[in-house]
Amino acid sequence: MANLNIDSAKERTFDAIVIGSGISGGWAAKELTDKGLKVLMLERGRDVKHIKDYPTTNMYPWEFKHRGELPMDVQEANPIVNRCYAFGESAAHFFVKDKEHPYIQTKPFDWIRGYQVGGKSLLWARQTQRWSEFDFEGPARDGFAVDWPIRYKDIAPWYSHVEKFAGISGNKDGIAELPDGEFLPAFPLNAVEEYFSKHVKVNYQNRHVISARCAHLSKPNQIHLDQGRAQCQERTICERGCPFGGYFSSNASTIPWALKSGNLTIRPFSVVESIIYDENKGKASGVRIVDTNTKKAEEFYSRIIFVNAAALNTNLILLNSKSNRFPNGLGNDSGVLGKFVAFHNYSAHIGAEVEGFEEWATDGRNPAGGGYIPRFRNVYKQETDFLRGYASGFSAYRGFKHSYDGFGEDFKAGLSTKEYGPWRVGSHMMGETIPKETNFVKLDNSNKDAWGVPLLDISVDYDDNDEKMKKDYIEQLTEMFTSAGFKNIQPSTNHQAPGLDIHEMGGVRMGRDPKTSMLNKWNQLHACTNVFVTDGASMTSTSCQNPSLTYMALTARAVDHAVSESKKGNL
Ligand SMILES: Cc1cc2nc3c(=O)[nH]c(=O)nc-3n(C[C@H](O)[C@H](O)[C@H](O)COP(=O)(O)OP(=O)(O)OC[C@H]3O[C@@H](n4cnc5c(N)ncnc54)[C@H](O)[C@@H]3O)c2cc1C
């Protein structure tokens, strides 16, 4: 961190300010500094330096006091974050604990957060698919939300731009609904995954089981080595932080790159309270922060502001940025700020056993997690009684046949057997949800956090469309598993609250019409054009593909526009 000995407005002025240091903020900082701008990155959490601040990254299982589990008192004190599969002893220090940062759940919502330099980029599962034309044309075609102001062709070159730098492994599968990218070699499917892939190819039209695409350096290029990163070692303990930089995180990639330029100043422990609007100039002039150590309010100024605090916190900051011109939140002439929040529906799974394949076993690890089944419902035409569709994860594995019988030596022998059990397969649903005005966030004006910022009140729920989609997923996957000869098929659905998919989006949506949307096609606030929102808040609809690659591409695209407009004197 640069030494901020600042006492004059001039010293508190930068060319650009980036709010948040996670996946999208890291990209904003990298692109802006690459173009020569002096950038201040404001981050509410502590600093996390690559490698140095990954305390568990090289620990063996037996070195953890609780062998990787969290003690009951920690679990009970954190009912929300404890529902996240990655919240364990090895990575708990990167998650927000429930009591530290409260919010109001008018409807149950599991808000999973990582407040530190790097944000959730340290924790994510690194699944990275492009969205397709079917996603960007979706709302207009199917009559929901508002039309995206961009199409696939507008973002395609920017996907290429970020993929080359981040490093995405995958195959060129030639599927229109899941466009190919600039890939490093894919992690291969195992024998049973390969079998299912071939079975589906032969027996189904427009259904595919492919190697999952993920942000791992399966075979680094020079640009990755230049970042100080190395080949993924397939350790699959990524949520601890990777000392090899084997997967993409802001900490391993974009932030050190931007720092190397000499143009980036990072200020951790800085909660952005609001964006300052200059009524005379008709644009934003800077941001107000609260220093979390001193509790002192401070201001920083810039010509360009990128808001990348992650979807719901970005909503909060804009809602809290009130002025005479914008009494209901910055840029909120339309009244849609905070509304049309959507997410992904991960509430259905299916498992089964597989006979045969006894000459094969799973040895080693696959950081991509196995296979991916792109959306096949309602792609080329509407064919069901629900809108849109779902992608599915698919993986197969074979573990040892453990026995828990006996005592003493017998018990130990049963546990340590090297005899394999049967193959098992599993899949989970990743459904698109429809953004609706009734799914919204707002400020709770009677409760404030430790820094005087109003708490966020979340009112987001599933609907009938989600229930129908879930039923269809179970029916279709059961049918596909049956046809493949899988046995003992066990579908399951749960009633997890929205949020646990950790893909919340919307509230500051892009659109063509300022009367019904917040952002234009360049992610600029229609009504305050030097403020850019390029995280999940800006999403008009959610696709069913993972979203973070799209945030990266939109961010790089928006920076390019911001800098070129700035050079023309338009910002
Ligand atoms: C376990 C897990 C698995 C996931 N798997 C995937 C996956 O496979 N694929 C995928 O695409 N996505 C995945 N995600 C989601 C992915 O992590 C997010 O989409 C992504 O990190 C969002 O990037 P962001 O920049 O918007 O937010 P973040 O990465 O969350 O960064 C936001 C930053 O802003 C800071 N901030 C917030 N408020 C303020 C404020 N007021 N002032 C200053 N700073 C602030 C935060 O502290 C944080 O550092 C996963 C997430 C988790 C936790």
Side-chain angles (χ1 to χ4, degrees):
M1 180 185 35
N3 181 18
L4 286 172
N5 179 15
I6 287 169
D7 51 13
S8 76
K10 195 163 168 247
E11 283 172 306
R12 275 183 275 127
T13 302
F14 294 78
D15 295 328
I17 289 176
V18 175
I19 305 174
S21 64
I23 291 187
S24 62
W27 268 99
K30 178 206 168 275
E31 295 292 300
L32 288 161
T33 54
D34 271 354
K35 292 179 193 294
L37 276 69
K38 296 285 179 198
V39 174
L40 173 67
M41 172 183 266
L42 294 165
E43 167 53 52
R44 68 181 304 152
R46 67 188 169 98
D47 197 8
V48 172
K49 290 259 188 301
H50 181 48
I51 306 178
K52 176 178 155 294
D53 292 321
Y54 304 156
T56 58
T57 190
N58 285 325
M59 283 172 68
Y60 289 106
W62 57 87
E63 292 178 307
F64 288 95
K65 193 169 172 204
H66 304 99
R67 301 294 185 265
E69 297 294 315
L70 284 166
M72 281 312 284
D73 59 334
V74 179
Q75 295 193 35
E76 279 163 16
N78 291 285
I80 298 170
V81 62
N82 193 41
R83 287 184 203 118
C84 175
Y85 68 90
F87 184 69
E89 197 178 17
S90 68
H93 46 284
F94 291 142
F95 283 92
V96 165
K97 314 299 173 301
D98 293 6
K99 292 216 172 70
E100 290 169 354
H101 297 283
Y103 59 98
I104 309 295
Q105 299 180 68
T106 290
K107 294 182 180 165
F109 188 90
D110 292 335
W111 193 12
I112 309 297
R113 293 158 291 168
Y115 288 173
Q116 60 254 325
V117 168
K120 298 194 293 282
S121 78
L122 287 163
L123 294 168
W124 68 319
R126 308 151 320 271
Q127 299 291 305
T128 29
Q129 309 91 19
R130 290 187 180 200
W131 292 15
S132 76
E133 187 64 355
F134 297 99
D135 299 306
F136 292 105
E137 69 167 28
R141 189 193 87 170
D142 291 344
F144 65 95
V146 290
D147 190 12
W148 278 86
I150 57 170
R151 286 293 183 265
Y152 178 70
K153 68 174 171 28
D154 299 307
I155 193 174
W158 296 100
Y159 276 132
S160 294
H161 179 78
V162 298
E163 283 165 348
K164 282 184 206 155
F165 190 84
I168 309 295
S169 68
N171 285 317
K172 288 197 186 286
D173 298 294
I175 301 167
E177 52 276 31
L178 198 78
D180 291 331
E182 312 286 337
F183 295 139
L184 306 175
F187 291 93
L189 298 176
N190 65 33
V192 171
E193 290 162 354
E194 193 65 50
Y195 159 75
F196 189 54
S197 173
K198 287 198 179 119
H199 177 84
V200 169
K201 195 178 182 148
V202 171
N203 292 284
Y204 295 86
Q205 239 194 347
N206 294 328
R207 297 193 188 188
H208 314 270
V209 182
I210 63 167
S211 286
R213 298 169 181 179
C214 70
H216 281 254
L217 301 182
S218 51
K219 189 160 178 270
N221 288 330
Q222 191 58 45
I223 186 68
H224 308 120
L225 303 176
D226 291 347
Q227 294 167 41
R229 298 169 60 198
Q231 184 162 346
C232 168
Q233 305 294 301
E234 303 174 19
R235 304 188 324 153
T236 62
I237 45 175
C238 313
E239 67 282 357
R240 302 180 189 183
C242 179
F244 303 95
Y247 72 91
F248 173 87
S249 69
S250 308
N251 311 64
S253 176
T254 45
I255 289 178
W257 184 273
L259 283 171
K260 223 166 35 181
S261 71
N263 290 333
L264 177 65
T265 303
I266 306 179
R267 195 181 199 283
F269 301 113
S270 308
V271 175
V272 172
E273 182 252 2
S274 59
I275 296 168
I276 305 162
Y277 184 72
D278 183 328
E279 313 255 342
N280 296 322
K281 293 191 180 143
K283 52 188 178 181
S285 57
V287 302
R288 276 187 208 95
I289 68 139
V290 180
D291 184 305
T292 60
N293 291 318
T294 63
K295 302 250 167 124
K296 234 179 87 189
E298 295 192 38
E299 292 185 355
F300 294 93
Y301 309 106
S302 67
R303 263 181 302 138
I304 298 171
I305 298 174
F306 268 73
V307 197
N308 296 98
L312 299 189
N313 269 315
T314 286
N315 274 275
L316 195 165
I317 292 168
L318 293 187
L319 284 163
N320 203 37
S321 301
K322 293 178 181 165
S323 57
N324 289 331
R325 166 73 181 82
F326 295 112
N328 301 314
L330 185 65
N332 192 14
D333 289 340
S334 59
V336 299
L337 175 58
K339 298 175 186 166
F340 299 95
V341 169
F343 54 98
H344 281 162
N345 179 3
Y346 274 37
S347 61
H349 305 84
I350 182 162
E353 283 181 15
V354 185
E355 289 174 349
F357 299 92
E358 272 149 23
E359 67 277 34
W360 300 99
T362 40
D363 192 12
R365 305 185 181 111
N366 180 351
Y372 180 87
I373 307 174
R375 172 179 158 207
F376 53 80
R377 276 307 211 194
N378 303 326
V379 178
Y380 291 94
K381 61 176 190 327
Q382 184 63 36
E383 56 193 346
T384 68
D385 63 347
F386 59 86
L387 284 181
R388 314 303 294 166
Y390 46 83
S392 323
F394 174 77
S395 60
Y397 60 97
R398 190 176 184 204
F400 291 120
K401 213 189 239 174
H402 294 304
S403 151
Y404 298 96
D405 293 339
F407 292 98
E409 287 304 317
D410 287 349
F411 181 64
K412 269 190 183 166
L415 288 183
S416 58
T417 171
K418 290 279 188 266
E419 198 187 331
Y420 282 107
W423 279 90
R424 288 176 200 284
V425 288
S427 166
H428 64 280
M429 167 196 182
M430 298 177 273
E432 176 166 353
T433 72
I434 306 296
K436 297 179 294 281
E437 195 164 8
T438 46
N439 276 348
F440 63 88
V441 297
K442 64 182 177 66
L443 299 183
D444 177 293
N445 286 314
S446 40
N447 290 294
K448 297 197 167 173
D449 69 13
W451 303 280
V453 180
L455 298 191
L456 196 67
D457 181 339
I458 305 179
S459 197
V460 170
D461 211 345
Y462 294 103
D463 66 14
D464 218 33
N465 202 65
D466 303 320
E467 289 307 316
K468 287 179 182 160
M469 194 185 288
K470 192 152 108 177
K471 189 166 163 279
D472 189 70
Y473 164 85
I474 294 289
E475 282 169 9
Q476 294 304 312
L477 269 288
T478 302
E479 197 276 321
M480 288 161 77
F481 276 20
T482 307
S483 129
F486 299 162
K487 297 282 180 303
N488 192 16
I489 298 169
Q490 292 181 331
S492 66
T493 57
N494 65 44
H495 296 284
Q496 70 186 42
L500 206 52
D501 53 280
I502 326 181
H503 293 165
E504 56 273 11
M505 290 175 243
V508 193
R509 71 182 178 191
M510 294 169 77
R512 296 174 193 275
D513 184 353
K515 290 202 191 74
T516 56
S517 65
M518 294 288 295
L519 303 168
N520 68 14
K521 66 177 174 180
W522 301 109
N523 294 73
Q524 293 169 282
L525 282 176
H526 288 297
C528 182
T529 52
N530 67 332
V531 174
F532 293 77
V533 175
T534 62
D535 61 15
S538 65
M539 298 293 115
T540 309
S541 63
T542 71
S543 168
C544 62
Q545 276 94 287
N546 291 66
S548 304
L549 186 71
T550 298
Y551 307 162
M552 297 186 210
L554 282 178
T555 303
R557 179 176 179 271
V559 167
D560 191 61
H561 182 73
V563 174
S564 104
E565 284 298 288
S566 174
K567 280 189 188 143
K568 289 186 215 148
N570 292 341
L571 291 182

